[in-house]
Short mmCIF file of all heavy atoms in Angstrom, two decimals:
data_model
loop_
_atom_site.label_atom_id
_atom_site.label_comp_id
_atom_site.label_asym_id
_atom_site.label_seq_id
_atom_site.Cartn_x
_atom_site.Cartn_y
_atom_site.Cartn_z
N ALA Q 482 -17.84 -20.69 -5.11
CA ALA Q 482 -17.07 -21.41 -4.09
C ALA Q 482 -17.56 -22.85 -3.96
O ALA Q 482 -16.75 -23.78 -3.85
CB ALA Q 482 -17.17 -20.69 -2.75
N LYS Q 483 -18.88 -23.05 -3.97
CA LYS Q 483 -19.42 -24.41 -3.88
C LYS Q 483 -19.00 -25.25 -5.07
O LYS Q 483 -18.70 -26.45 -4.94
CB LYS Q 483 -20.95 -24.34 -3.78
CG LYS Q 483 -21.46 -23.77 -2.46
CD LYS Q 483 -22.98 -23.72 -2.46
CE LYS Q 483 -23.51 -23.14 -1.15
NZ LYS Q 483 -24.99 -23.07 -1.13
N GLU Q 484 -18.99 -24.64 -6.26
CA GLU Q 484 -18.55 -25.38 -7.45
C GLU Q 484 -17.08 -25.75 -7.35
O GLU Q 484 -16.68 -26.88 -7.66
CB GLU Q 484 -18.80 -24.54 -8.70
CG GLU Q 484 -18.42 -25.26 -9.99
CD GLU Q 484 -18.75 -24.46 -11.24
OE1 GLU Q 484 -19.45 -23.43 -11.13
OE2 GLU Q 484 -18.29 -24.87 -12.32
N LEU Q 485 -16.26 -24.83 -6.87
CA LEU Q 485 -14.83 -25.10 -6.72
C LEU Q 485 -14.57 -26.23 -5.72
O LEU Q 485 -13.60 -26.98 -5.85
CB LEU Q 485 -14.09 -23.84 -6.27
CG LEU Q 485 -13.95 -22.71 -7.30
CD1 LEU Q 485 -13.41 -21.46 -6.63
CD2 LEU Q 485 -13.04 -23.13 -8.44
N ALA Q 486 -15.46 -26.35 -4.72
CA ALA Q 486 -15.26 -27.35 -3.67
C ALA Q 486 -15.21 -28.77 -4.22
O ALA Q 486 -14.58 -29.65 -3.64
CB ALA Q 486 -16.37 -27.23 -2.63
N HIS Q 487 -15.85 -28.99 -5.35
CA HIS Q 487 -15.87 -30.33 -5.95
C HIS Q 487 -14.50 -30.75 -6.51
O HIS Q 487 -14.29 -31.92 -6.78
CB HIS Q 487 -16.90 -30.39 -7.07
CG HIS Q 487 -18.32 -30.28 -6.58
ND1 HIS Q 487 -18.97 -31.28 -5.90
CD2 HIS Q 487 -19.21 -29.24 -6.67
CE1 HIS Q 487 -20.20 -30.89 -5.60
NE2 HIS Q 487 -20.37 -29.66 -6.05
N TYR Q 488 -13.59 -29.77 -6.70
CA TYR Q 488 -12.35 -30.06 -7.40
C TYR Q 488 -11.15 -30.23 -6.47
O TYR Q 488 -10.03 -30.44 -6.94
CB TYR Q 488 -12.06 -28.95 -8.42
CG TYR Q 488 -13.08 -28.92 -9.53
CD1 TYR Q 488 -14.17 -28.05 -9.47
CD2 TYR Q 488 -12.98 -29.78 -10.61
CE1 TYR Q 488 -15.12 -28.02 -10.48
CE2 TYR Q 488 -13.92 -29.76 -11.63
CZ TYR Q 488 -14.99 -28.89 -11.54
OH TYR Q 488 -15.93 -28.89 -12.54
N HIS Q 489 -11.38 -30.14 -5.13
CA HIS Q 489 -10.30 -30.36 -4.16
C HIS Q 489 -9.04 -29.58 -4.57
O HIS Q 489 -7.98 -30.15 -4.83
CB HIS Q 489 -9.98 -31.85 -4.04
CG HIS Q 489 -11.19 -32.68 -3.73
ND1 HIS Q 489 -11.81 -32.67 -2.50
CD2 HIS Q 489 -11.91 -33.53 -4.52
CE1 HIS Q 489 -12.85 -33.49 -2.53
NE2 HIS Q 489 -12.94 -34.03 -3.73
N ILE Q 490 -9.18 -28.29 -4.59
CA ILE Q 490 -8.14 -27.41 -5.11
C ILE Q 490 -6.88 -27.47 -4.25
O ILE Q 490 -6.94 -27.42 -3.02
CB ILE Q 490 -8.67 -25.96 -5.20
CG1 ILE Q 490 -9.75 -25.91 -6.28
CG2 ILE Q 490 -7.56 -24.97 -5.52
CD1 ILE Q 490 -10.46 -24.59 -6.37
N ARG Q 491 -5.74 -27.53 -4.93
CA ARG Q 491 -4.44 -27.64 -4.26
C ARG Q 491 -3.73 -26.28 -4.28
O ARG Q 491 -2.90 -26.01 -5.14
CB ARG Q 491 -3.56 -28.68 -4.97
CG ARG Q 491 -4.23 -30.02 -5.21
CD ARG Q 491 -3.25 -31.01 -5.87
NE ARG Q 491 -2.64 -30.46 -7.07
CZ ARG Q 491 -3.15 -30.60 -8.29
NH1 ARG Q 491 -4.29 -31.25 -8.47
NH2 ARG Q 491 -2.52 -30.11 -9.33
N THR Q 492 -4.09 -25.41 -3.37
CA THR Q 492 -3.40 -24.13 -3.23
C THR Q 492 -3.86 -23.46 -1.96
O THR Q 492 -4.93 -23.77 -1.43
CB THR Q 492 -3.68 -23.19 -4.43
OG1 THR Q 492 -2.86 -22.02 -4.32
CG2 THR Q 492 -5.13 -22.76 -4.48
N ASN Q 493 -3.05 -22.54 -1.46
CA ASN Q 493 -3.49 -21.69 -0.35
C ASN Q 493 -3.44 -20.23 -0.76
O ASN Q 493 -3.32 -19.34 0.07
CB ASN Q 493 -2.63 -21.92 0.89
CG ASN Q 493 -1.18 -21.52 0.66
OD1 ASN Q 493 -0.76 -21.29 -0.48
ND2 ASN Q 493 -0.40 -21.43 1.72
N ARG Q 494 -3.56 -19.99 -2.09
CA ARG Q 494 -3.53 -18.62 -2.61
C ARG Q 494 -4.66 -18.43 -3.62
O ARG Q 494 -4.96 -19.34 -4.40
CB ARG Q 494 -2.21 -18.33 -3.33
CG ARG Q 494 -1.05 -18.00 -2.43
CD ARG Q 494 0.14 -17.60 -3.27
NE ARG Q 494 1.07 -16.81 -2.48
CZ ARG Q 494 1.98 -16.00 -3.00
NH1 ARG Q 494 2.10 -15.89 -4.30
NH2 ARG Q 494 2.78 -15.32 -2.22
N ILE Q 495 -5.23 -17.25 -3.62
CA ILE Q 495 -6.14 -16.84 -4.68
C ILE Q 495 -5.62 -15.52 -5.24
O ILE Q 495 -5.43 -14.55 -4.50
CB ILE Q 495 -7.58 -16.67 -4.17
CG1 ILE Q 495 -8.15 -17.99 -3.69
CG2 ILE Q 495 -8.47 -16.10 -5.28
CD1 ILE Q 495 -9.56 -17.89 -3.13
N TYR Q 496 -5.35 -15.50 -6.54
CA TYR Q 496 -4.92 -14.27 -7.19
C TYR Q 496 -6.15 -13.53 -7.71
O TYR Q 496 -7.06 -14.13 -8.27
CB TYR Q 496 -3.98 -14.58 -8.36
CG TYR Q 496 -2.65 -15.16 -7.93
CD1 TYR Q 496 -2.47 -16.54 -7.84
CD2 TYR Q 496 -1.59 -14.34 -7.61
CE1 TYR Q 496 -1.26 -17.08 -7.43
CE2 TYR Q 496 -0.36 -14.86 -7.21
CZ TYR Q 496 -0.21 -16.23 -7.12
OH TYR Q 496 0.99 -16.76 -6.71
N THR Q 497 -6.16 -12.22 -7.49
CA THR Q 497 -7.33 -11.44 -7.88
C THR Q 497 -6.93 -10.06 -8.36
O THR Q 497 -5.89 -9.51 -7.95
CB THR Q 497 -8.31 -11.30 -6.69
OG1 THR Q 497 -9.41 -10.48 -7.08
CG2 THR Q 497 -7.64 -10.69 -5.47
N SER Q 498 -7.73 -9.51 -9.24
CA SER Q 498 -7.64 -8.09 -9.54
C SER Q 498 -7.79 -7.32 -8.23
O SER Q 498 -8.42 -7.80 -7.29
CB SER Q 498 -8.76 -7.72 -10.52
OG SER Q 498 -9.11 -6.36 -10.43
N ASP Q 499 -7.24 -6.12 -8.17
CA ASP Q 499 -7.30 -5.34 -6.93
C ASP Q 499 -8.55 -4.47 -6.85
O ASP Q 499 -8.66 -3.65 -5.93
CB ASP Q 499 -6.05 -4.49 -6.76
CG ASP Q 499 -5.83 -3.51 -7.91
OD1 ASP Q 499 -6.52 -3.64 -8.94
OD2 ASP Q 499 -4.98 -2.61 -7.78
N LEU Q 500 -9.50 -4.62 -7.76
CA LEU Q 500 -10.75 -3.88 -7.67
C LEU Q 500 -11.69 -4.56 -6.68
O LEU Q 500 -11.67 -5.78 -6.52
CB LEU Q 500 -11.41 -3.76 -9.04
CG LEU Q 500 -10.57 -2.98 -10.09
CD1 LEU Q 500 -11.28 -2.98 -11.43
CD2 LEU Q 500 -10.30 -1.56 -9.62
N SER Q 501 -12.54 -3.78 -6.02
CA SER Q 501 -13.31 -4.29 -4.89
C SER Q 501 -14.25 -5.43 -5.27
O SER Q 501 -14.48 -6.35 -4.48
CB SER Q 501 -14.11 -3.15 -4.23
OG SER Q 501 -15.04 -2.59 -5.14
N ARG Q 502 -14.80 -5.41 -6.49
CA ARG Q 502 -15.74 -6.46 -6.87
C ARG Q 502 -15.07 -7.82 -6.99
O ARG Q 502 -15.70 -8.86 -6.74
CB ARG Q 502 -16.48 -6.09 -8.15
CG ARG Q 502 -15.60 -5.80 -9.38
CD ARG Q 502 -16.47 -5.23 -10.50
NE ARG Q 502 -15.80 -4.95 -11.73
CZ ARG Q 502 -15.22 -3.79 -12.05
NH1 ARG Q 502 -15.20 -2.82 -11.16
NH2 ARG Q 502 -14.66 -3.62 -13.24
N THR Q 503 -13.80 -7.83 -7.38
CA THR Q 503 -13.08 -9.10 -7.47
C THR Q 503 -12.50 -9.50 -6.12
O THR Q 503 -12.49 -10.68 -5.77
CB THR Q 503 -11.95 -9.01 -8.52
OG1 THR Q 503 -11.16 -7.83 -8.27
CG2 THR Q 503 -12.51 -8.95 -9.92
N VAL Q 504 -12.01 -8.52 -5.36
CA VAL Q 504 -11.45 -8.83 -4.04
C VAL Q 504 -12.53 -9.45 -3.15
O VAL Q 504 -12.28 -10.45 -2.47
CB VAL Q 504 -10.85 -7.56 -3.39
CG1 VAL Q 504 -10.46 -7.85 -1.95
CG2 VAL Q 504 -9.64 -7.08 -4.18
N LYS Q 505 -13.72 -8.87 -3.16
CA LYS Q 505 -14.80 -9.40 -2.33
C LYS Q 505 -15.19 -10.81 -2.78
O LYS Q 505 -15.42 -11.70 -1.94
CB LYS Q 505 -16.01 -8.47 -2.38
CG LYS Q 505 -17.15 -8.90 -1.43
CD LYS Q 505 -16.70 -8.88 0.03
CE LYS Q 505 -17.83 -9.23 0.97
NZ LYS Q 505 -17.38 -9.27 2.39
N THR Q 506 -15.25 -11.02 -4.07
CA THR Q 506 -15.55 -12.36 -4.59
C THR Q 506 -14.49 -13.35 -4.12
O THR Q 506 -14.81 -14.46 -3.66
CB THR Q 506 -15.60 -12.33 -6.13
OG1 THR Q 506 -16.61 -11.41 -6.56
CG2 THR Q 506 -15.91 -13.71 -6.69
N ALA Q 507 -13.23 -12.95 -4.19
CA ALA Q 507 -12.14 -13.84 -3.76
C ALA Q 507 -12.23 -14.12 -2.26
O ALA Q 507 -11.97 -15.25 -1.81
CB ALA Q 507 -10.79 -13.21 -4.11
N GLU Q 508 -12.57 -13.09 -1.48
CA GLU Q 508 -12.67 -13.28 -0.03
C GLU Q 508 -13.78 -14.27 0.33
O GLU Q 508 -13.63 -15.11 1.23
CB GLU Q 508 -12.90 -11.94 0.65
CG GLU Q 508 -11.68 -11.03 0.64
CD GLU Q 508 -11.97 -9.64 1.18
OE1 GLU Q 508 -13.17 -9.29 1.33
OE2 GLU Q 508 -11.00 -8.90 1.43
N ILE Q 509 -14.91 -14.18 -0.36
CA ILE Q 509 -16.02 -15.10 -0.10
C ILE Q 509 -15.61 -16.53 -0.44
O ILE Q 509 -15.87 -17.47 0.30
CB ILE Q 509 -17.27 -14.68 -0.90
CG1 ILE Q 509 -17.82 -13.37 -0.35
CG2 ILE Q 509 -18.34 -15.77 -0.87
CD1 ILE Q 509 -18.93 -12.75 -1.18
N ILE Q 510 -14.91 -16.68 -1.58
CA ILE Q 510 -14.44 -18.02 -1.99
C ILE Q 510 -13.44 -18.55 -0.97
O ILE Q 510 -13.50 -19.72 -0.56
CB ILE Q 510 -13.84 -17.96 -3.40
CG1 ILE Q 510 -14.93 -17.67 -4.44
CG2 ILE Q 510 -13.11 -19.26 -3.74
CD1 ILE Q 510 -14.41 -17.40 -5.83
N ALA Q 511 -12.51 -17.70 -0.56
CA ALA Q 511 -11.49 -18.12 0.41
C ALA Q 511 -12.14 -18.54 1.72
O ALA Q 511 -11.75 -19.56 2.33
CB ALA Q 511 -10.49 -16.99 0.65
#
């Protein structure tokens, strides 16, 4: 998430696999 912050991302969506390890990662980033 900190690395992504440098790129000023233009979206309000994160697409993720529906498995818990990816969903949790996406939630932390969001």
Side-chain angles (χ1 to χ4, degrees):
K483 291 179 181 180
E484 182 176 350
L485 289 171
H487 292 288
Y488 294 96
H489 306 288
I490 292 173
R491 310 182 307 269
T492 187
N493 64 347
R494 280 186 158 200
I495 296 178
Y496 293 92
T497 177
S498 155
D499 59 348
L500 298 178
S501 62
R502 57 189 182 270
T503 50
V504 172
K505 185 62 177 178
T506 301
E508 288 174 347
I509 291 172
I510 292 172

